[in-house]
Amino acid sequence: MALRALKFASLTAAASGIYLYGNKFLDPNDFGVVRVGRAIATTAVITYDYLTSLRSVPYGSEEYEFLKSQIKELFMSFEDTPLGAASLAQVHKAVLQDGRTVAVKIQHPKVQAQSSKDILLMEVLLLVVKQIFPDFEFMWLVEEAKKNLPLELDFLNEGRNAEKVAHMLKNFDFLKVPRIYWELSTRRVLLMEFMEGGQVNDRAYMERNGINVNEISRNLGKLYSEMIFVNGFVHCDPHPGNVLVKKCPASGKAHIILLDHGLYQVLSESFRMDYCRLWQALIKADMKRVQKYSRRLGAGDLYPLFACMLTARSWESVNRGIDQSPVSASEDMEIRSNAAAYLPQITQLLNNVPRQMLLLLKTNDLLRGIESALHTRASASSFLNMSRCCIRAVSTYQRSKSHSLYRRAQISLTEAISLWQINLYELFLWLKGSQLGNWVIALLRRMHHLMY
């Protein structure tokens, strides 16, 4: 199996180079067949690293045709044109000899070597800017790149993340995560179950396929609230290309397909609890607690700005309650103009908050972009789901720290009552917006008029 995986890695890397050459994305002399050498422990069958060297393979040559014929030994079919291409890798659709349709994610040639040079160049440029402008506070970008890029380049790590999140969120039957085929996966090649659908921000696709936009937005909020507040293990790249939706022909249910599991953030327990309590305070418009937990998360005196950055709402809306009204056009314009005006304070804030916060801010922005495209931004249901997860997370934490049976029972009762109140409020909102609710309200008003 190890030899088969090694052979597969060589062939797919070559196929990647062939595609890039044929489409003139790189200089013809800048690619080739990757000759892979691996150190394998006595009992290990998993690749740990690749030592690569390049040699020219002219397009259309005899060797080019030979490589393509070799791929047929592993695949019944292999599409040269990728389904998607990014800076690190590209994905091809293929069919294995046993008939399974798979997605083959192939790391671009030379990306491992080039990535370290890019980080070094970034560090040098930022240091130069820092010398010219002493107030420049973006050196944390280098630290984050050094930490995250090696993880993203290790496709075995991506496969493990996919399996972990699938198990963690197994109770959500609407979530689909591609299965990983470990026997043909390496650090630079990942084979997984092929899944397709429309992008999560494509409202027109959902309407054509009878998919409820509000349901998708609500379920996406459930997924991320569970990841952030309850589990502290967060998929941090939910751009529309990584989140697909598809209606199941058999059940008629809409599924959310989560792709690209290379970038995750693991939240510490103390950070997660402070973040939970901050969001609870923001939803309740409890400004004393907003200030308290913003400061605990490193915002200091800039806590009003921090609250606005987290919610993408104006300070006036934060004080009034972010669940009280949707974002208006004038408020959106105010937020955009203030972002430029407060850039020095924003950079200072980003430099002060815990590093765990940086990817969460990015994730929040991507999710808000999806909600804006679907016209579901700031819906009451998203805040209700967040509240539920925060209550569950804080209650679980409190029970774990309590040694008294009576105290644990008290915490559980308080949790149950709080969740029941949210359910009751959600029912009220549903009745308020439904025909049945309108009929009930009209009947009550009529009865009140007859009585008085």
Side-chain angles (χ1 to χ4, degrees):
M1 188 59 73
L3 291 175
R4 182 177 172 83
L6 173 59
K7 181 179 181 182
F8 173 62
S10 302
L11 291 173
T12 49
S16 176
I18 289 168
Y19 172 75
L20 291 171
Y21 176 76
N23 287 269
K24 299 182 180 178
F25 289 160
L26 294 177
D27 184 85
N29 297 317
D30 208 24
F31 78 97
V33 179
V34 180
R35 292 183 299 173
V36 185
R38 313 188 285 175
I40 305 177
T42 353
T43 56
V45 293
I46 303 296
T47 274
Y48 287 99
D49 203 356
Y50 292 89
L51 302 171
T52 60
S53 61
L54 304 174
R55 56 189 176 89
S56 177
V57 182
Y59 179 77
S61 68
E62 196 173 306
E63 188 173 2
Y64 173 92
E65 296 302 327
F66 171 73
L67 285 170
K68 292 202 71 173
S69 69
Q70 291 297 300
I71 290 175
K72 292 179 181 177
E73 291 184 16
L74 291 170
F75 299 104
M76 192 181 299
S77 66
F78 187 96
E79 295 184 5
D80 288 342
T81 304
L83 299 169
S87 56
L88 300 182
Q90 59 196 43
V91 180
H92 296 260
K93 184 179 179 181
V95 179
L96 296 175
Q97 292 294 346
D98 60 9
R100 287 177 294 175
T101 303
V102 295
V104 187
K105 184 172 182 178
I106 304 165
Q107 199 169 111
H108 290 321
K110 300 205 304 183
V111 73
Q112 290 269 356
Q114 190 60 43
S115 63
S116 58
K117 296 175 186 175
D118 290 342
I119 291 175
L120 179 61
L121 178 61
M122 183 198 303
E123 187 168 16
V124 169
L125 290 174
L126 290 177
L127 284 170
V128 170
V129 174
K130 179 74 174 172
Q131 291 298 315
I132 301 171
F133 304 102
D135 292 335
F136 184 77
E137 300 290 352
F138 277 97
M139 291 308 297
W140 52 266
L141 282 170
V142 178
E143 299 168 24
E144 289 302 296
K146 285 179 177 179
K147 182 181 74 176
N148 292 320
L149 192 55
L151 296 174
E152 289 192 79
L153 291 173
D154 182 356
F155 289 173
L156 294 179
N157 177 66
E158 179 176 342
R160 288 190 292 270
N161 287 342
E163 288 195 341
K164 181 174 179 178
V165 81
H167 178 73
M168 190 176 79
L169 302 176
K170 62 184 178 184
N171 292 332
F172 292 131
D173 59 356
F174 57 82
L175 174 65
K176 301 297 173 187
V177 176
R179 177 188 170 193
I180 305 299
Y181 298 120
W182 291 108
E183 68 273 14
L184 288 175
S185 293
T186 69
R187 288 172 61 92
R188 296 187 182 185
V189 179
L190 189 66
L191 248 78
M192 55 200 139
E193 180 184 2
F194 177 77
M195 291 184 173
E196 59 185 341
Q199 290 193 353
V200 72
N201 65 340
D202 191 343
R203 189 182 176 96
Y205 169 87
M206 295 188 207
E207 290 172 352
R208 286 196 309 271
N209 289 274
I211 296 173
N212 187 312
V213 172
N214 290 315
E215 181 187 353
I216 290 296
S217 182
R218 186 165 57 249
N219 286 342
L220 189 62
K222 284 181 183 178
L223 285 180
Y224 273 86
S225 292
E226 193 80 13
M227 280 192 271
I228 293 169
F229 300 114
V230 178
N231 295 289
F233 184 69
V234 190
H235 179 284
C236 286
D237 200 11
H239 71 73
N242 289 340
V243 188
L244 307 181
V245 293
K246 187 176 183 180
K247 191 169 187 177
C248 176
S251 65
K253 290 183 178 179
H255 292 157
I256 293 177
I257 301 166
L258 200 57
L259 305 175
D260 198 342
H261 299 270
L263 187 59
Y264 271 75
Q265 180 64 275
V266 180
L267 308 180
S268 68
E269 188 175 64
S270 60
F271 175 91
R272 185 166 55 88
M273 287 301 102
D274 286 342
Y275 195 61
C276 279
R277 290 180 171 118
L278 173 57
W279 269 104
Q280 285 180 309
L282 286 166
I283 292 169
K284 293 177 182 177
D286 184 342
M287 303 317 296
K288 286 185 178 179
R289 286 168 63 84
V290 167
Q291 180 178 352
K292 175 183 176 180
Y293 289 107
S294 294
R295 287 182 180 277
R296 287 183 61 160
L297 289 168
D301 292 335
L302 294 174
Y303 71 90
L305 177 61
F306 185 52
C308 293
M309 287 172 63
L310 278 178
T311 59
R313 302 298 300 268
S314 67
W315 182 236
E316 181 185 347
S317 294
V318 171
N319 276 273
R320 188 171 59 243
I322 55 177
D323 62 338
Q324 296 303 307
S325 60
V327 184
S328 64
S330 59
E331 184 182 1
D332 198 43
M333 183 63 69
E334 178 189 344
I335 293 165
R336 291 174 188 274
S337 59
N338 283 344
Y342 287 97
L343 186 58
Q345 290 86 349
I346 290 171
T347 58
Q348 181 186 341
L349 190 56
L350 292 176
N351 193 53
N352 291 341
V353 296
R355 293 292 166 256
Q356 298 168 79
M357 183 61 72
L358 300 175
L359 284 178
L360 284 189
L361 287 169
K362 171 197 171 186
T363 304
N364 285 345
D365 285 342
L366 289 169
L367 291 173
R368 273 195 291 269
I370 292 170
E371 288 179 342
S372 294
L374 298 180
H375 304 150
T376 59
R377 188 173 169 190
S379 65
S381 63
S382 64
F383 295 122
L384 292 175
N385 286 324
M386 290 174 70
S387 296
R388 284 191 183 96
C389 287
C390 288
I391 288 167
R392 287 169 48 216
V394 171
S395 298
T396 301
Y397 173 76
Q398 289 174 336
R399 279 193 295 268
S400 72
K401 298 300 179 182
S402 174
H403 301 293
S404 164
L405 184 61
Y406 172 76
R407 176 60 184 149
R408 288 200 295 269
Q410 191 180 41
I411 293 166
S412 296
L413 180 60
T414 304
E415 176 187 11
I417 292 171
S418 299
L419 293 174
W420 178 79
Q421 288 174 332
I422 291 175
N423 291 339
L424 194 63
Y425 181 59
E426 191 170 40
L427 177 63
F428 166 74
L429 291 176
W430 179 79
L431 285 172
K432 188 179 176 182
S434 68
Q435 287 186 344
L436 175 62
N438 292 333
W439 180 80
V440 170
I441 291 169
L443 180 62
L444 289 173
R445 283 176 178 167
R446 183 171 178 77
M447 288 174 64
H448 183 269
H449 178 72
L450 292 172
M451 289 173 68
Y452 298 99

